[in-house]
Amino acid sequence: GAGVSQSPSNKVTEKGKDVELRCDPISGHTALYWYRQSLGQGLEFLIYFQGNSAPDKSGLPSDRFSAERTGGSVSTLTIQRTQQEDSAVYLCASSLGGGLDQPQHFGDGTRLSIL
Amino acid sequence: AQTVTQSQPEMSVQEAETVTLSCTYDTSENNYYLFWYKQPPSRQMILVIRQEAYKQQNATENRFSVNFQKAAKSFSLKISDSQLGDTAMYFCAFMIPGGGADGLTFGKGTHLIIQP
């Protein structure tokens, strides 16, 4: 497809389970971003990839969160031992590069609900 | 740290009216980009308009324009001839050089409702 694709669209899981969220960026986009949007809040930046590497992981909320990107394309965000406060919409964005002049294109997000 | 403040949680106007959404930000950087994103119920964030801090001329995109006041650190969005399809959450966002490592910093958003 032409846009950023995220899956699943919605995910409901029990507290304590692990979840994996997937992002397929626009073809040719080297930069990839993950954000979290909690109810009634703006977007919170989580992590950025340039190619396969993430230079700074300090935006991840806790050590239960991890992300990887392989082949410079698809990225997965994994949350281990999920907690109720992890419930949010997780948005992925990609851009041609990480520069200021490269706008970010967003996917539709994954709505994660922790019971 | 950069912060973005949107002081209007919700606004409602009649169709065809002009509406202005406010945004202020705080940074010690001199070079940066500012953005307005629209998020309809479909959840997808759509870029509406962007402004480069070193450009004095205000950006315009059809019915959308900004009033960028760098000294005041203000970046408001004006929507002219508003349409029902403009109903959405609007987020002001900010990015600094090397900002790939920091991503975009967003405000908490303004819910804009266009009434028929």
Side-chain angles (χ1 to χ4, degrees), chain A residues 14-38:
Chain A
E14 293 179 346
K15 176 182 172 181
K17 299 287 188 182
D18 296 352
V19 295
E20 189 174 277
L21 312 180
R22 175 188 169 104
C23 173
D24 197 345
I26 294 172
S27 177
H29 281 195
T30 62
L32 186 146
Y33 305 80
W34 283 99
Y35 295 86
R36 178 170 71 173
Q37 185 176 25
S38 301

mmCIF file of all heavy atoms in Angstrom, chain A residues 14-38:
data_model
loop_
_atom_site.group_PDB
_atom_site.id
_atom_site.type_symbol
_atom_site.label_atom_id
_atom_site.label_comp_id
_atom_site.label_asym_id
_atom_site.label_seq_id
_atom_site.Cartn_x
_atom_site.Cartn_y
_atom_site.Cartn_z
ATOM 1 N N GLU A 14 -5.319 -9.518 28.227
ATOM 2 C CA GLU A 14 -5.392 -9.508 29.694
ATOM 3 C C GLU A 14 -4.093 -8.954 30.275
ATOM 4 O O GLU A 14 -3.004 -9.145 29.711
ATOM 5 C CB GLU A 14 -5.631 -10.923 30.210
ATOM 6 C CG GLU A 14 -6.985 -11.491 29.837
ATOM 7 C CD GLU A 14 -7.165 -12.909 30.366
ATOM 8 O OE1 GLU A 14 -6.159 -13.528 30.772
ATOM 9 O OE2 GLU A 14 -8.310 -13.397 30.353
ATOM 10 N N LYS A 15 -4.235 -8.334 31.393
ATOM 11 C CA LYS A 15 -3.075 -7.836 32.131
ATOM 12 C C LYS A 15 -2.069 -8.972 32.338
ATOM 13 O O LYS A 15 -2.451 -10.100 32.675
ATOM 14 C CB LYS A 15 -3.547 -7.285 33.466
ATOM 15 C CG LYS A 15 -2.469 -6.814 34.392
ATOM 16 C CD LYS A 15 -3.068 -6.335 35.724
ATOM 17 C CE LYS A 15 -1.994 -6.050 36.745
ATOM 18 N NZ LYS A 15 -2.568 -5.607 38.040
ATOM 19 N N GLY A 16 -0.810 -8.642 32.111
ATOM 20 C CA GLY A 16 0.249 -9.617 32.312
ATOM 21 C C GLY A 16 0.707 -10.329 31.047
ATOM 22 O O GLY A 16 1.780 -10.937 31.028
ATOM 23 N N LYS A 17 -0.113 -10.223 29.994
ATOM 24 C CA LYS A 17 0.271 -10.852 28.732
ATOM 25 C C LYS A 17 1.251 -9.968 27.971
ATOM 26 O O LYS A 17 1.322 -8.756 28.182
ATOM 27 C CB LYS A 17 -0.972 -11.078 27.863
ATOM 28 C CG LYS A 17 -2.024 -11.981 28.483
ATOM 29 C CD LYS A 17 -1.587 -13.418 28.474
ATOM 30 C CE LYS A 17 -2.753 -14.317 28.917
ATOM 31 N NZ LYS A 17 -2.354 -15.740 28.965
ATOM 32 N N ASP A 18 1.962 -10.587 27.042
ATOM 33 C CA ASP A 18 2.837 -9.824 26.155
ATOM 34 C C ASP A 18 2.083 -9.497 24.860
ATOM 35 O O ASP A 18 1.256 -10.291 24.402
ATOM 36 C CB ASP A 18 4.076 -10.642 25.795
ATOM 37 C CG ASP A 18 4.954 -10.945 27.003
ATOM 38 O OD1 ASP A 18 4.689 -10.386 28.096
ATOM 39 O OD2 ASP A 18 5.892 -11.742 26.847
ATOM 40 N N VAL A 19 2.371 -8.327 24.277
ATOM 41 C CA VAL A 19 1.762 -7.979 22.996
ATOM 42 C C VAL A 19 2.838 -7.476 22.048
ATOM 43 O O VAL A 19 3.861 -6.922 22.466
ATOM 44 C CB VAL A 19 0.662 -6.903 23.136
ATOM 45 C CG1 VAL A 19 -0.506 -7.414 23.945
ATOM 46 C CG2 VAL A 19 1.221 -5.618 23.718
ATOM 47 N N GLU A 20 2.577 -7.679 20.767
ATOM 48 C CA GLU A 20 3.492 -7.223 19.731
ATOM 49 C C GLU A 20 2.705 -6.431 18.703
ATOM 50 O O GLU A 20 1.725 -6.907 18.140
ATOM 51 C CB GLU A 20 4.166 -8.431 19.078
ATOM 52 C CG GLU A 20 5.296 -8.069 18.142
ATOM 53 C CD GLU A 20 6.034 -9.303 17.635
ATOM 54 O OE1 GLU A 20 6.917 -9.807 18.354
ATOM 55 O OE2 GLU A 20 5.690 -9.762 16.525
ATOM 56 N N LEU A 21 3.150 -5.207 18.463
ATOM 57 C CA LEU A 21 2.496 -4.323 17.513
ATOM 58 C C LEU A 21 3.422 -4.152 16.320
ATOM 59 O O LEU A 21 4.634 -4.004 16.478
ATOM 60 C CB LEU A 21 2.204 -2.954 18.155
ATOM 61 C CG LEU A 21 1.551 -2.983 19.540
ATOM 62 C CD1 LEU A 21 1.328 -1.565 20.039
ATOM 63 C CD2 LEU A 21 0.254 -3.747 19.515
ATOM 64 N N ARG A 22 2.829 -4.113 15.137
ATOM 65 C CA ARG A 22 3.622 -4.095 13.918
ATOM 66 C C ARG A 22 3.392 -2.810 13.129
ATOM 67 O O ARG A 22 2.268 -2.308 13.074
ATOM 68 C CB ARG A 22 3.259 -5.297 13.060
ATOM 69 C CG ARG A 22 3.925 -5.366 11.700
ATOM 70 C CD ARG A 22 3.345 -6.493 10.865
ATOM 71 N NE ARG A 22 3.785 -6.408 9.475
ATOM 72 C CZ ARG A 22 4.715 -7.197 8.949
ATOM 73 N NH1 ARG A 22 5.303 -8.126 9.690
ATOM 74 N NH2 ARG A 22 5.059 -7.062 7.683
ATOM 75 N N CYS A 23 4.470 -2.339 12.514
ATOM 76 C CA CYS A 23 4.386 -1.156 11.657
ATOM 77 C C CYS A 23 5.143 -1.411 10.367
ATOM 78 O O CYS A 23 6.329 -1.784 10.393
ATOM 79 C CB CYS A 23 4.983 0.063 12.370
ATOM 80 S SG CYS A 23 5.107 1.534 11.310
ATOM 81 N N ASP A 24 4.462 -1.181 9.265
ATOM 82 C CA ASP A 24 5.084 -1.327 7.949
ATOM 83 C C ASP A 24 5.134 0.075 7.323
ATOM 84 O O ASP A 24 4.095 0.616 6.938
ATOM 85 C CB ASP A 24 4.251 -2.282 7.084
ATOM 86 C CG ASP A 24 5.019 -2.809 5.894
ATOM 87 O OD1 ASP A 24 6.081 -2.237 5.574
ATOM 88 O OD2 ASP A 24 4.557 -3.786 5.276
ATOM 89 N N PRO A 25 6.315 0.670 7.240
ATOM 90 C CA PRO A 25 6.383 2.064 6.788
ATOM 91 C C PRO A 25 6.200 2.188 5.278
ATOM 92 O O PRO A 25 6.145 1.191 4.561
ATOM 93 C CB PRO A 25 7.809 2.466 7.189
ATOM 94 C CG PRO A 25 8.585 1.196 7.082
ATOM 95 C CD PRO A 25 7.624 0.109 7.538
ATOM 96 N N ILE A 26 6.126 3.416 4.834
ATOM 97 C CA ILE A 26 6.075 3.681 3.397
ATOM 98 C C ILE A 26 7.391 3.218 2.771
ATOM 99 O O ILE A 26 8.468 3.469 3.335
ATOM 100 C CB ILE A 26 5.821 5.178 3.133
ATOM 101 C CG1 ILE A 26 4.419 5.556 3.617
ATOM 102 C CG2 ILE A 26 5.986 5.519 1.661
ATOM 103 C CD1 ILE A 26 4.124 7.040 3.588
ATOM 104 N N SER A 27 7.289 2.559 1.631
ATOM 105 C CA SER A 27 8.474 2.038 0.966
ATOM 106 C C SER A 27 9.477 3.151 0.690
ATOM 107 O O SER A 27 9.127 4.215 0.169
ATOM 108 C CB SER A 27 8.058 1.378 -0.352
ATOM 109 O OG SER A 27 9.189 0.915 -1.055
ATOM 110 N N GLY A 28 10.730 2.898 1.070
ATOM 111 C CA GLY A 28 11.786 3.883 0.838
ATOM 112 C C GLY A 28 12.006 4.839 1.985
ATOM 113 O O GLY A 28 12.982 5.595 1.996
ATOM 114 N N HIS A 29 11.118 4.835 2.963
ATOM 115 C CA HIS A 29 11.292 5.712 4.123
ATOM 116 C C HIS A 29 12.288 5.092 5.094
ATOM 117 O O HIS A 29 12.075 3.987 5.592
ATOM 118 C CB HIS A 29 9.943 5.952 4.820
ATOM 119 C CG HIS A 29 9.094 6.958 4.140
ATOM 120 N ND1 HIS A 29 7.992 7.547 4.741
ATOM 121 C CD2 HIS A 29 9.184 7.516 2.905
ATOM 122 C CE1 HIS A 29 7.452 8.415 3.912
ATOM 123 N NE2 HIS A 29 8.147 8.411 2.785
ATOM 124 N N THR A 30 13.353 5.821 5.373
ATOM 125 C CA THR A 30 14.385 5.268 6.247
ATOM 126 C C THR A 30 14.118 5.564 7.725
ATOM 127 O O THR A 30 14.620 4.868 8.592
ATOM 128 C CB THR A 30 15.765 5.836 5.875
ATOM 129 O OG1 THR A 30 15.754 7.254 6.054
ATOM 130 C CG2 THR A 30 16.110 5.498 4.422
ATOM 131 N N ALA A 31 13.356 6.604 7.986
ATOM 132 C CA ALA A 31 13.080 6.981 9.376
ATOM 133 C C ALA A 31 11.721 6.443 9.803
ATOM 134 O O ALA A 31 10.744 6.508 9.046
ATOM 135 C CB ALA A 31 13.116 8.500 9.538
ATOM 136 N N LEU A 32 11.668 5.930 11.026
ATOM 137 C CA LEU A 32 10.424 5.358 11.558
ATOM 138 C C LEU A 32 10.295 5.773 13.016
ATOM 139 O O LEU A 32 11.283 5.756 13.773
ATOM 140 C CB LEU A 32 10.456 3.828 11.426
ATOM 141 C CG LEU A 32 9.178 3.071 11.804
ATOM 142 C CD1 LEU A 32 9.020 1.849 10.918
ATOM 143 C CD2 LEU A 32 9.155 2.681 13.266
ATOM 144 N N TYR A 33 9.076 6.147 13.400
ATOM 145 C CA TYR A 33 8.816 6.660 14.744
ATOM 146 C C TYR A 33 7.653 5.883 15.359
ATOM 147 O O TYR A 33 6.691 5.554 14.675
ATOM 148 C CB TYR A 33 8.414 8.133 14.688
ATOM 149 C CG TYR A 33 9.384 9.046 13.969
ATOM 150 C CD1 TYR A 33 9.399 9.118 12.580
ATOM 151 C CD2 TYR A 33 10.263 9.859 14.678
ATOM 152 C CE1 TYR A 33 10.272 9.974 11.915
ATOM 153 C CE2 TYR A 33 11.131 10.721 14.024
ATOM 154 C CZ TYR A 33 11.134 10.764 12.640
ATOM 155 O OH TYR A 33 12.000 11.608 11.994
ATOM 156 N N TRP A 34 7.723 5.689 16.667
ATOM 157 C CA TRP A 34 6.592 5.176 17.441
ATOM 158 C C TRP A 34 6.149 6.242 18.441
ATOM 159 O O TRP A 34 6.985 6.868 19.102
ATOM 160 C CB TRP A 34 6.978 3.908 18.205
ATOM 161 C CG TRP A 34 7.047 2.657 17.389
ATOM 162 C CD1 TRP A 34 8.165 2.063 16.874
ATOM 163 C CD2 TRP A 34 5.944 1.827 17.019
ATOM 164 N NE1 TRP A 34 7.827 0.926 16.193
ATOM 165 C CE2 TRP A 34 6.472 0.740 16.266
ATOM 166 C CE3 TRP A 34 4.565 1.870 17.233
ATOM 167 C CZ2 TRP A 34 5.675 -0.267 15.744
ATOM 168 C CZ3 TRP A 34 3.772 0.864 16.717
ATOM 169 C CH2 TRP A 34 4.328 -0.188 15.973
ATOM 170 N N TYR A 35 4.828 6.405 18.542
ATOM 171 C CA TYR A 35 4.227 7.323 19.500
ATOM 172 C C TYR A 35 3.128 6.584 20.262
ATOM 173 O O TYR A 35 2.556 5.616 19.768
ATOM 174 C CB TYR A 35 3.593 8.524 18.795
ATOM 175 C CG TYR A 35 4.549 9.441 18.069
ATOM 176 C CD1 TYR A 35 4.927 9.179 16.754
ATOM 177 C CD2 TYR A 35 5.067 10.572 18.692
ATOM 178 C CE1 TYR A 35 5.801 10.029 16.073
ATOM 179 C CE2 TYR A 35 5.932 11.425 18.019
ATOM 180 C CZ TYR A 35 6.290 11.146 16.712
ATOM 181 O OH TYR A 35 7.151 11.981 16.047
ATOM 182 N N ARG A 36 2.821 7.115 21.451
ATOM 183 C CA ARG A 36 1.699 6.592 22.219
ATOM 184 C C ARG A 36 0.728 7.734 22.484
ATOM 185 O O ARG A 36 1.145 8.840 22.864
ATOM 186 C CB ARG A 36 2.193 6.002 23.548
ATOM 187 C CG ARG A 36 1.084 5.475 24.432
ATOM 188 C CD ARG A 36 1.634 4.687 25.602
ATOM 189 N NE ARG A 36 2.297 5.524 26.592
ATOM 190 C CZ ARG A 36 2.738 5.056 27.755
ATOM 191 N NH1 ARG A 36 2.592 3.777 28.037
ATOM 192 N NH2 ARG A 36 3.333 5.862 28.609
ATOM 193 N N GLN A 37 -0.551 7.448 22.282
ATOM 194 C CA GLN A 37 -1.585 8.454 22.525
ATOM 195 C C GLN A 37 -2.568 7.900 23.535
ATOM 196 O O GLN A 37 -3.389 7.049 23.229
ATOM 197 C CB GLN A 37 -2.309 8.817 21.226
ATOM 198 C CG GLN A 37 -3.312 9.954 21.375
ATOM 199 C CD GLN A 37 -3.939 10.356 20.052
ATOM 200 O OE1 GLN A 37 -4.014 9.561 19.115
ATOM 201 N NE2 GLN A 37 -4.392 11.594 19.949
ATOM 202 N N SER A 38 -2.462 8.401 24.765
ATOM 203 C CA SER A 38 -3.391 7.984 25.806
ATOM 204 C C SER A 38 -4.656 8.820 25.709
ATOM 205 O O SER A 38 -4.650 9.916 25.146
ATOM 206 C CB SER A 38 -2.746 8.144 27.180
ATOM 207 O OG SER A 38 -1.562 7.361 27.256
#
